[in-house]
Amino acid sequence: AGYKSVLGIVHFCYFSVNIGAKLDGNECIKANAESCGDCIQVGAKCGWCTDTKFLKQGEPTSARCDDMESLRKRGCVAAKIENPRGSQKTLRNKPVTNRKKGGEKLKPEDITQIQPQKLSLSLRSGEPQTIDLKFKRAEDYPIDLYYLMDLSYSMKDDLENVKNLGTSLMLEMSKITSDFRIGFGSFVEKTVMPYISTTPAKLLNPCTGDQNCTSPFSYKNVLKLTSNGQRFNTLVGQQQISGNLDSPEGGFDAIMQVAVCGEHIGWRNVTRLLVFSTDAGFHFAGDGKLGGIVLPNDGKCHLENDMYTMSHHYDYPSIAHLVQKLSDNNIQTIFAVTEEFQPVYKELKNLIPKSAVGTLSANSSNVINLIIDAYNSLSSEVILENSKLPEGVTITYQSHCKNGVVSVGEDGRKCSNISIGDEVYFSINITALGCPKQGKTETLKIRPLGFTEEVEIRLSFICDCECQKEGIVRKDLCHNGNGTFECGACRCNKGRIGRECECRKDEVSSEDLDRNCRKDNGTDLCSNNGECVCGKCECKKRDNPEEYYSGKYCECDNFNCDRSNNKLCGGHGRCECRVCICDANYTGSACDCSLDTSTCLASNNQICNGRGLCECGTCRCTDPKFQGPTCEICPTCPGVCTEHKACVQCRAFGTGEKKDTCEQDCNYFTLVKVKDRDKLPQPVQAFPLMHCKERDANDCWFYYTYAVNNYTEVHVVETLECPAGPDIIPIVAGVVAGIVLIGLALLLIWKLLMIIHDRREFAKFEKEKMNAKWDTGENPIYKSAVTTVVNPKYEGK
């Protein structure tokens, strides 16, 4: 069908490798793999060199295991590298079914909704691959629906509406599928105290008053799945309400029996729907202790004559147990509950995959619409699940749904809003973490929840190299046959060790053998850079595969030589046993001294202009006044400013005597313009600097500096400093303005003095007024014509 196949494999280390760490080149070395089989399990990047002459003196057998690029750099040709790859094969790839309702009648097992159906994968540890699955929701797919109803007394009015459910639901479901079957079961509660009253009278009729109720029971399978809707109506019409004492019901016992008693219920390998109708909560695992029931639910079928007989013996099932059994039997659950218990069952729905919750009216009159809506909601979503993963295998999903929606992680397992005939795709990464025990074949199954179809994947693991099958056991190999010569090296028998299996493990650390690993009878074994194995040094391995120890006593290495410019041997040689072997024309301990004198020749063809020595390709000037790469420049010599004046003038301002030949004669320096004299560079100890001030033909001054570092550089002030004549207009304007300002100032001073004088006179007047002796309210000259006399004896009587 042209599907891409990739198998994603995650790293699993049975060796000394960090689990989950990202593999890079040095992880192959860190694994210390002693055989090709051990090496290829470290990761997909690791290969094993089978060339018998590959190892250098002092290198252990495990040095044959390295990443592919490093092996090639170390001289192992591709034909000698063992690096097996995983593969996959499609065993059954039946196309998904394309048909229309009313077309050819097919058995449920002949309808295909997922493709491919069976694959075989050969997995290499650390090698990622992917398989793609295609899912298409088939039209006119058969449906089995089992209606499980609470028959406690509070559901009395609901039973009346359910009695005609069979034919009505048959009619509605015929719009969806032509192959529909329906069944019926009921439940109340465990038949022990305190869930029900166990008095003889209450066991016969648990209802109060003149209500005629049937005896309480835990679960009863009333009608096996059938396509006869009328029979459903007849049998349900014969049912009677029962009763119990507590509010929560024993519905979980009933759901468990419906899930596991497939033969009694009559489930087919089609879409299986369980409608759970109640107006109360539920008991779950642990609640059985109230009735003295402590045995956990065993998850097995216990129906006799369609009645659950072990409700008094086993506790209620747990939610997790129920989820497992519903999933194992591909049953999708629809909780039809009253509005009061909606929050409880919505939380339960979140724990049960492929389940839905609908609001049941007080008398169940809307149950048909509820079932249709819930079925449409469930069937429009596909969720993939897998069987238990083998040890060391992980799996991830990526979904490609309608309208180009791509999801990963947990959302990568599902696609929503799928209509009949829609096709969706899933990319599945399977990751093997090394080899499982004994490398046996494992089987992994993937299926969409609520559907009976599944994809079977047979997993085999690449644990050994092909070259191991060609192992040779001979006395002339591997020290008298104490090992098997395979993949270019000896694989020692149990209890033997050494590159050629020449030693027993119990004699590895003997003093006689260790003496052979000490250089010049010193105290350090293998120069502290390796281990003494069977009297021979096996050098340590470095994280960097390009670095290694070598030598009989591991006394040499290729990374501890002198460096120049942060490069080993200056980049002009190679490091051998801690000494730089320089390339031609280079010398020195770090190969940083060039023997080429062409870079020291001056313009007069003299080495360093006769004023210095050529050392390592660079002039060392013996005359301190001269500088530059060839000792030709003397920035502090007299006449420097005059010597370069004409070139600076023509380059900076386009004037002067060399303005016509400027490009030819004046290109020996770099010109940098600055805004003012403050921006000119100042002399430093590293190189001399000459400050210059020159006059041009217009009596204008220009300033510049002349300096030589690695190259000649001139900084020049970009503006000329020219003398200027007096400007008459500003002078006249200034005089006039000065006169006016002086006049205004004099007027202001006069005004200020007058104000001060007036204020003083007014203050003086106020002071004299306050000191007056007379009453300012009467005229002192005026004398009244009326004289008033008061009788002193008069008392007002």
Side-chain angles (χ1 to χ4, degrees):
Y3 301 121
K4 289 198 297 188
S5 291
V6 182
L7 197 65
I9 302 184
V10 179
H11 328 301
F12 180 72
C13 306
Y14 286 101
F15 321 108
S16 59
V17 194
N18 289 331
I19 296 177
K22 183 180 178 183
L23 284 180
D24 49 25
N26 59 28
E27 291 296 330
C28 307
I29 296 176
K30 288 181 179 179
N32 289 320
E34 294 295 332
S35 67
C36 184
D38 293 344
C39 178
I40 64 173
Q41 293 180 51
V42 178
K45 294 182 180 180
C46 300
W48 178 273
C49 184
T50 62
D51 188 352
T52 56
K53 299 180 180 179
F54 174 69
L55 295 180
K56 296 180 176 63
Q57 185 179 21
E59 287 189 307
T61 302
S62 59
R64 293 181 178 275
C65 182
D66 206 339
D67 65 89
M68 301 296 293
E69 183 180 354
S70 296
L71 288 176
R72 286 191 289 268
K73 286 182 178 179
R74 292 167 60 190
C76 191
V77 296
K80 293 287 187 179
I81 298 177
E82 192 77 15
N83 185 31
R85 314 309 300 175
S87 62
Q88 58 179 276
K89 184 179 180 181
T90 302
L91 303 179
R92 187 165 63 248
N93 193 25
K94 184 180 177 182
V96 292
T97 302
N98 294 304
R99 67 165 184 158
K100 296 294 183 181
K101 187 177 178 182
E104 180 186 1
K105 192 71 173 179
L106 296 175
K107 295 180 180 179
E109 56 269 20
D110 295 331
I111 300 175
T112 303
Q113 298 184 108
I114 193 166
Q115 178 188 5
Q117 294 81 39
K118 191 172 184 180
L119 302 101
S120 175
L121 302 181
S122 179
L123 307 183
R124 159 84 187 272
S125 177
E127 181 185 15
Q129 294 183 13
T130 298
I131 59 173
D132 277 359
L133 298 185
K134 175 183 178 181
F135 180 86
K136 181 177 181 180
R137 183 180 165 193
E139 187 172 354
D140 197 23
Y141 195 74
I143 299 173
D144 284 354
L145 185 146
Y146 191 84
Y147 196 93
L148 182 59
M149 185 174 180
D150 177 8
L151 283 190
S152 59
Y153 187 77
S154 59
M155 294 287 285
K156 181 179 179 180
D157 54 345
D158 299 79
L159 181 60
E160 295 300 321
N161 285 309
V162 175
K163 288 180 180 179
N164 297 320
L165 178 65
T167 52
S168 301
L169 191 57
M170 280 283 188
L171 181 62
E172 289 297 326
M173 293 300 287
S174 65
K175 300 175 183 178
I176 300 174
T177 177
S178 59
D179 188 358
F180 176 72
R181 298 199 310 170
I182 189 171
F184 184 82
S186 58
F187 67 91
V188 181
E189 186 55 275
K190 289 184 180 294
T191 54
V192 295
M193 282 289 288
Y195 312 111
I196 67 167
S197 175
T198 55
T199 60
K202 290 294 183 181
L203 287 175
L204 292 176
N205 183 5
C207 300
T208 58
D210 57 352
Q211 298 290 335
N212 186 21
C213 299
T214 188
S215 299
F217 56 92
S218 177
Y219 162 67
K220 177 167 57 177
N221 179 28
V222 178
L223 176 63
K224 189 175 182 178
L225 289 165
T226 178
S227 56
N228 188 342
Q230 189 58 46
R231 177 167 171 75
F232 179 93
N233 292 349
T234 302
L235 288 177
V236 174
Q238 296 172 1
Q239 300 305 304
Q240 287 183 296
I241 291 295
S242 184
N244 63 312
L245 296 178
D246 62 340
S247 176
E249 313 294 1
F252 277 14
D253 272 343
I255 294 176
M256 177 63 75
Q257 294 304 301
V258 172
V260 299
C261 298
E263 294 184 0
H264 295 80
I265 304 300
W267 292 119
R268 298 177 295 169
N269 285 332
V270 297
T271 298
R272 299 175 175 180
L273 299 179
L274 170 61
V275 179
F276 182 82
S277 175
T278 183
D279 64 348
F282 48 82
H283 284 295
F284 52 90
D287 289 354
K289 291 181 181 179
L290 296 173
I293 303 171
V294 295
L295 282 179
N297 195 287
D298 63 352
K300 296 180 181 179
C301 183
H302 298 288
L303 290 186
E304 293 182 11
N305 297 323
D306 289 327
M307 296 289 289
Y308 179 39
T309 58
M310 300 297 286
S311 67
H312 63 288
H313 191 73
Y314 291 115
D315 193 6
Y316 302 99
S318 66
I319 295 176
H321 197 184
L322 212 57
V323 169
Q324 178 191 349
K325 292 301 180 181
L326 290 171
S327 177
D328 290 346
N329 292 278
N330 299 312
I331 296 174
Q332 304 177 62
T333 311
I334 300 172
F335 295 104
V337 297
T338 54
E339 186 173 359
E340 178 185 357
F341 287 94
Q342 282 284 309
V344 175
Y345 282 91
K346 283 184 178 178
E347 291 296 326
L348 181 62
K349 167 191 172 295
N350 294 333
L351 301 175
I352 302 179
K354 292 291 280 186
S355 62
V357 177
T359 303
L360 191 68
S361 62
N363 57 4
S364 296
S365 58
N366 68 331
V367 69
I368 292 179
N369 291 333
L370 186 153
I371 292 172
I372 298 296
D373 292 343
Y375 169 75
N376 289 331
S377 173
L378 290 173
S379 60
S380 66
E381 183 176 57
V382 58
I383 303 175
L384 295 186
E385 70 163 5
N386 51 269
S387 60
K388 184 179 178 182
L389 295 172
E391 181 183 2
V393 175
T394 61
I395 189 169
T396 59
Y397 293 83
Q398 184 183 64
S399 61
H400 301 265
C401 307
K402 291 174 62 177
N403 303 321
V405 177
V406 179
S407 301
V408 294
E410 282 302 309
D411 290 336
R413 290 176 174 264
K414 63 184 178 180
C415 281
S416 303
N417 300 320
I418 303 173
S419 304
I420 293 174
D422 287 341
E423 293 182 357
V424 293
Y425 298 87
F426 295 90
S427 296
I428 303 173
N429 287 348
I430 301 175
T431 304
L433 309 176
C435 279
K437 296 177 182 178
Q438 302 175 354
K440 63 179 181 179
T441 301
E442 301 280 359
T443 299
L444 175 66
K445 294 183 178 181
I446 299 174
R447 64 182 178 88
L449 281 174
F451 297 88
T452 57
E453 299 174 68
E454 63 184 15
V455 180
E456 181 180 333
I457 304 174
R458 297 174 58 187
L459 305 177
S460 59
F461 302 86
I462 300 175
C463 299
D464 297 309
C465 301
E466 286 295 321
C467 60
Q468 291 180 251
K469 299 177 182 178
E470 303 172 359
I472 302 173
V473 181
R474 287 207 319 248
K475 285 192 175 181
D476 59 333
L477 296 173
C478 302
H479 199 268
N480 298 322
N482 285 317
T484 303
F485 189 79
E486 60 183 35
C487 303
C490 285
R491 186 173 189 178
C492 299
N493 296 336
K494 188 175 182 181
R496 305 294 297 190
I497 199 170
R499 185 183 288 190
E500 297 180 357
C501 311
E502 63 269 29
C503 290
R504 296 196 309 268
K505 285 188 176 180
D506 55 4
E507 64 182 16
V508 168
S509 60
S510 67
E511 185 62 31
D512 291 338
L513 292 174
D514 287 351
R515 187 179 296 113
N516 296 328
C517 297
R518 292 189 176 98
K519 184 180 180 181
D520 300 329
N521 292 327
T523 58
D524 294 336
L525 284 175
C526 301
S527 306
N528 286 329
N529 294 323
E531 295 181 359
C532 187
V533 180
C534 299
K536 295 180 181 178
C537 285
E538 288 193 358
C539 302
K540 295 177 183 177
K541 289 177 291 185
R542 303 274 297 176
D543 288 347
N544 186 345
E546 296 183 0
E547 298 178 356
Y548 57 84
Y549 294 102
S550 60
K552 182 179 179 180
Y553 304 102
C554 301
E555 73 278 13
C556 297
D557 63 59
N558 69 337
F559 54 86
N560 270 324
C561 292
D562 290 341
R563 295 175 179 266
S564 177
N565 292 328
N566 203 29
K567 292 181 180 179
L568 193 67
C569 297
H572 301 300
R574 64 186 185 279
C575 181
E576 291 186 3
C577 202
R578 304 187 179 183
V579 176
C580 284
I581 308 299
C582 298
D583 298 339
N585 292 328
Y586 284 92
T587 186
S589 62
C591 301
D592 54 350
C593 185
S594 174
L595 300 177
D596 186 9
T597 60
S598 61
T599 57
C600 296
L601 290 177
S603 57
N604 56 9
N605 287 328
Q606 287 186 335
I607 293 179
C608 300
N609 196 29
R611 293 185 172 88
L613 301 175
C614 187
E615 296 179 352
C616 299
T618 303
C619 283
R620 180 173 64 83
C621 301
T622 54
D623 189 336
K625 292 192 299 182
F626 288 87
Q627 311 182 8
T630 56
C631 301
E632 292 182 89
I633 301 170
C634 181
T636 59
C637 293
V640 168
C641 293
T642 305
E643 179 184 354
H644 303 292
K645 170 185 175 182
C647 282
V648 173
Q649 190 176 358
C650 79
R651 288 277 301 274
F653 309 107
T655 60
E657 58 190 52
K658 289 189 176 182
K659 65 179 180 179
D660 297 327
T661 60
C662 194
E663 292 185 2
Q664 294 81 14
D665 298 342
C666 301
N667 57 0
Y668 58 88
F669 61 84
T670 301
L671 184 72
V672 179
K673 290 185 177 182
V674 297
K675 289 186 177 181
D676 51 53
R677 293 169 63 181
D678 294 337
K679 299 294 190 297
L680 289 174
Q682 300 302 314
V684 294
Q685 195 172 12
F687 60 94
L689 181 73
M690 180 63 71
H691 277 262
C692 300
K693 175 182 178 183
E694 295 295 330
R695 190 197 303 267
D696 64 7
N698 297 322
D699 287 336
C700 294
W701 294 95
F702 60 93
Y703 300 86
Y704 65 93
T705 60
Y706 184 85
V708 178
N709 190 5
N710 293 328
Y711 54 90
T712 304
E713 190 176 70
V714 172
H715 287 71
V716 61
V717 179
E718 62 184 5
T719 56
L720 294 169
E721 188 177 296
C722 299
D727 195 343
I728 301 300
I729 294 176
I731 294 175
V732 173
V735 172
V736 173
I739 295 172
V740 172
L741 290 174
I742 291 172
L744 289 175
L746 291 174
L747 287 175
L748 289 174
I749 292 171
W750 176 81
K751 181 64 176 176
L752 180 62
L753 292 175
M754 292 302 296
I755 291 173
I756 294 172
H757 178 266
D758 290 345
R759 287 185 176 179
R760 284 179 177 175
E761 289 296 323
F762 182 75
K764 183 178 180 181
F765 170 75
E766 288 290 326
K767 184 178 179 181
E768 291 177 350
K769 182 179 177 181
M770 291 177 63
N771 293 331
K773 299 284 186 173
W774 59 85
D775 184 3
T776 57
E778 297 179 3
N779 189 344
I781 301 176
Y782 172 75
K783 296 291 183 179
S784 176
V786 179
T787 301
T788 302
V789 178
V790 178
N791 186 356
K793 297 293 184 178
Y794 178 71
E795 296 180 355
K797 295 181 181 180

